[in-house]
C-alpha cells in the first residue's frame, strides 16, 4: 500500500477492520436485532469507508461486511455457513448494495466540487471560459491553457499532444491526485514523480489530447490549484470538441 496516499491507506485498513468491529459489536444483540437491520448498519459502514477513502476501500469494506455478517450474525454462528434462505438473500443483498454504494460514494468523492475562494484561481477559470466561447481557433485555447498551467503549477515546461495516447507516463487525475500505472503516487508527501506528467482532455466523454507537464523545482502546488488545472484542461476539451475532430501530431 506504499503507493497510496495516507488517507487511502487508512481507508483500506478501515474497509477491512471496520465491518469486523461493527459486526462483533452487534453480537450481543443478534437474537433481538433483525438480520435486515444488522445488514443496514453494515451498509452504513461501507458508505462511510467509500466516502472517506477510495473505490478500492469501499469494495473491500463491502466484501468484509458480507463475510462478517455471515460469520457473526447468521446461524450457525462463528462459521461461514448459512442455512436459512432468507439469510442467504440478505447477505447477497448486503454485498451487492455495498458494492453499488461504494462505487457511487467513490465517484461522488472523485467529482466533488471544492469551493475555490482564491481570486487568482477564479480569474483563470473565468478567463479561460470566456476565451473558449469567443476564440476563433481551438489552438488559441490550447496555447492559453498551456501558459496558465505553467504558471499555476510552477512547471518548467508544458506542451500539448493531439490524438493517440503513447506510453504510460504518470497522470494527473480529475480529483487532483497523481497515478503511476495502477498505483497512486502521494504527490503531497513525495513531490512530483520524475519525468513528464500527463493531464488528459476530453470532449463529450471522448479523449482528444493531453497536456504533458514538466515539473519545475518549486514545491507541488496545493490540491485546490491542481483541481483548477483539471478544470482548465476540461475547458480545453470542450473547445476542441466544439472545433471538430482532433488533428494528428
Amino acid at each position: 500500500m506504499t503507493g497510496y496516499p495516507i488517507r487511502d491507506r487508512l481507508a483500506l485498513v478501515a474497509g477491512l477492520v471496520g465491518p469486523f468491529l461493527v459486526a462483533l459489536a452487534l453480537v450481543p444483540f443478534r437474537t433481538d436485532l433483525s438480520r435486515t437491520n444488522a445488514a443496514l448498519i453494515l451498509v452504513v459502514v461501507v458508505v462511510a469507508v467509500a466516502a472517506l477513502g477510495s473505490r478500492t476501500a469501499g469494495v473491500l469494506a463491502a466484501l468484509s461486511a458480507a463475510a462478517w455478517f455471515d460469520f457473526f450474525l447468521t446461524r450457525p454462528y462463528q462459521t461461514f455457513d448459512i442455512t436459512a434462505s432468507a439469510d442467504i438473500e440478505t447477505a447477497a443483498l448486503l454485498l451487492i448494495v455495498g458494492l453499488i454504494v461504494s462505487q457511487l460514494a467513490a465517484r461522488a468523492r472523485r467529482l466533488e466540487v471544492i469551493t475555490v475562494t482564491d481570486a487568482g484561481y477564479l480569474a483563470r477559470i473565468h478567463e479561460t471560459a470566456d476565451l473558449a466561447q469567443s476564440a476563433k481557433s481551438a489552438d488559441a485555447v490550447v496555447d492559453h491553457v498551456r501558459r496558465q498551467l505553467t504558471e499555476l503549477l510552477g512547471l518548467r515546461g508544458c506542451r500539448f499532444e493531439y490524438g493517440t495516447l503513447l506510453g504510460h507516463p504518470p497522470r494527473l487525475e480529475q480529483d487532483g491526485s497523481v497515478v503511476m500505472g495502477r498505483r497512486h503516487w502521494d504527490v503531497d508527501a513525495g513531490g512530483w514523480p520524475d519525468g513528464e506528467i500527463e493531464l488528459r482532455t476530453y470532449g463529450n466523454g471522448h479523449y482528444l489530447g493531453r497536456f504533458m507537464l514538466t515539473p519545475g523545482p518549486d514545491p507541488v502546488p496545493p490540491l485546490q490549484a491542481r483541481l483548477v488545472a483539471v478544470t482548465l484542461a476540461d475547458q480545453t476539451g470542450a473547445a476542441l470538441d466544439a472545433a471538430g475532430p482532433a488533428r494528428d501530431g
Side-chain angles (χ1 to χ4, degrees), residues 67-186:
W68 296 121
F69 171 80
D70 177 4
F71 188 82
F72 286 118
L73 303 175
T74 64
R75 296 179 186 276
Y77 298 129
Q78 278 76 60
T79 72
F80 288 106
D81 296 326
I82 304 179
T83 56
S85 60
D87 289 342
I88 295 175
E89 292 177 0
T90 302
L93 286 173
L94 169 60
L95 177 59
I96 293 170
V97 172
L99 290 173
I100 293 173
V101 170
S102 71
Q103 296 294 312
L104 294 175
R107 179 174 175 81
R109 177 197 170 195
R110 187 174 66 251
L111 299 179
E112 179 182 7
V113 177
I114 296 180
T115 302
V116 178
T117 57
D118 186 282
Y121 292 162
L122 288 172
R124 292 180 191 275
I125 294 173
H126 292 162
E127 183 180 355
T128 303
D130 289 340
L131 180 62
Q133 293 178 355
S134 62
K136 296 181 180 179
S137 168
D139 288 340
V141 180
V142 170
D143 290 339
H144 170 79
V145 171
R146 183 176 53 77
R147 293 191 297 270
Q148 292 287 323
L149 292 175
T150 301
E151 296 175 4
L152 179 66
L153 301 178
L155 303 176
R156 180 178 288 111
C158 179
R159 58 190 177 86
F160 189 79
E161 291 183 350
Y162 291 87
T164 307
L165 289 166
L166 296 174
H168 302 281
R171 183 170 65 256
L172 180 59
E173 293 280 49
Q174 290 290 310
D175 61 359
S177 65
V178 173
V179 172
M180 293 184 63
R182 297 183 179 180
R183 298 187 305 119
H184 287 270
W185 177 272
D186 192 348

